[in-house]
Amino acid sequence: MRVPTIFYLLLCSLFATAVQAQFYKPKYIGIAAGAGNEIKNTDYSYSNQTLKLEAFFQVHKSEKWSYEVLIQPEINFAKHQLLNLYFVTPDEPNFEELRDRYTKLKDIREYALGIGFIARRHLSKTFDVYGYLSVGPMYTDTQTERLSRGFAFADVFAVGLSYHVKNLRFDIRPNFRHTSNAGLQSSNAGFNTLNCDIALAFKIR
């Protein structure tokens, strides 16, 4: 079994354990899908599509505000290509070979576990707006000039709008995503993307 598969199965297992934990049940569980592209630049192209599982744990609620912890395993399907070959400098070993390799279009799989905090403002019984910030571990299966294959981190900042219908909640969630490995490996420029997710969650308590 390939390492990414093991990593993603571990993330899903942690997600299932959190959802089934008897000491604290999530208020909502759901799914999300999204897509995005790199912030416009001349160095590289990057586009992605993502699928996520989501568990929302409410930690506090008042008349106008509520606060939640979100646990969110995800798989990300990305395409990337180096556009500026001079990003790979001549002081790197085999730089011409690397330039040739990195300027080819690549398919990338990223497996991440987001752990985030949500501040939600209730506008009415049916509409909420919120801000969301998360950070979590990630495994990327492809070596690129901007991010080494292996362990990394994914950071996300989002704003969202929720619409409630009975026990269902529909979300639209524009977000900014940054991936890097905090200098733990050789390539660490990372990727910056603007994305938009749509989500459906089910109230379970």
Side-chain angles (χ1 to χ4, degrees), residues 93-157:
N94 305 314
F95 76 94
E96 292 180 327
E97 177 187 340
L98 292 176
R99 285 177 174 177
D100 182 64
R101 182 193 309 169
Y102 292 148
T103 51
K104 292 181 172 63
L105 185 65
K106 292 178 173 57
D107 289 313
I108 303 172
R109 298 293 179 268
E110 299 169 345
Y111 308 84
L113 177 63
I115 302 172
F117 179 77
I118 296 173
R120 185 181 298 274
R121 179 68 161 82
H122 304 286
L123 303 178
S124 68
K125 290 184 177 180
T126 54
F127 285 101
D128 307 329
V129 292
Y130 60 89
Y132 164 60
L133 181 66
S134 78
V135 63
M138 183 183 82
Y139 180 90
T140 179
D141 71 354
T142 303
Q143 176 76 27
T144 72
E145 81 287 351
R146 302 188 66 85
L147 193 62
S148 296
R149 176 181 177 179
F151 183 80
F153 296 95
D155 308 323
V156 176
F157 173 72

Side-chain angles (χ1 to χ4, degrees), residues 11-134:
L11 296 186
C12 289
S13 176
L14 290 171
F15 176 83
T17 300
V19 169
Q20 295 173 3
Q22 295 302 309
F23 63 89
Y24 197 75
K25 292 281 189 179
K27 186 170 184 179
Y28 285 88
I29 58 172
I31 57 174
N37 292 280
E38 79 285 349
I39 295 176
K40 189 173 181 181
N41 69 94
T42 58
D43 287 332
Y44 69 93
S45 68
Y46 181 97
S47 62
N48 63 294
Q49 297 178 324
T50 185
L51 294 173
K52 304 174 182 180
L53 299 175
E54 301 184 318
F56 299 84
F57 299 82
Q58 185 171 281
V59 294
H60 179 73
K61 183 178 181 180
S62 64
E63 182 180 354
K64 295 294 186 180
W65 291 89
S66 62
Y67 304 94
E68 302 164 10
V69 171
L70 172 59
I71 298 178
Q72 187 184 64
E74 71 173 79
I75 180 170
N76 202 52
F77 305 90
K79 290 186 179 295
H80 163 66
Q81 185 175 17
L82 173 65
L83 302 178
N84 175 18
L85 61 86
Y86 297 106
F87 186 87
V88 180
T89 57
D91 60 342
E92 296 191 42
N94 305 314
F95 76 94
E96 292 180 327
E97 177 187 340
L98 292 176
R99 285 177 174 177
D100 182 64
R101 182 193 309 169
Y102 292 148
T103 51
K104 292 181 172 63
L105 185 65
K106 292 178 173 57
D107 289 313
I108 303 172
R109 298 293 179 268
E110 299 169 345
Y111 308 84
L113 177 63
I115 302 172
F117 179 77
I118 296 173
R120 185 181 298 274
R121 179 68 161 82
H122 304 286
L123 303 178
S124 68
K125 290 184 177 180
T126 54
F127 285 101
D128 307 329
V129 292
Y130 60 89
Y132 164 60
L133 181 66
S134 78

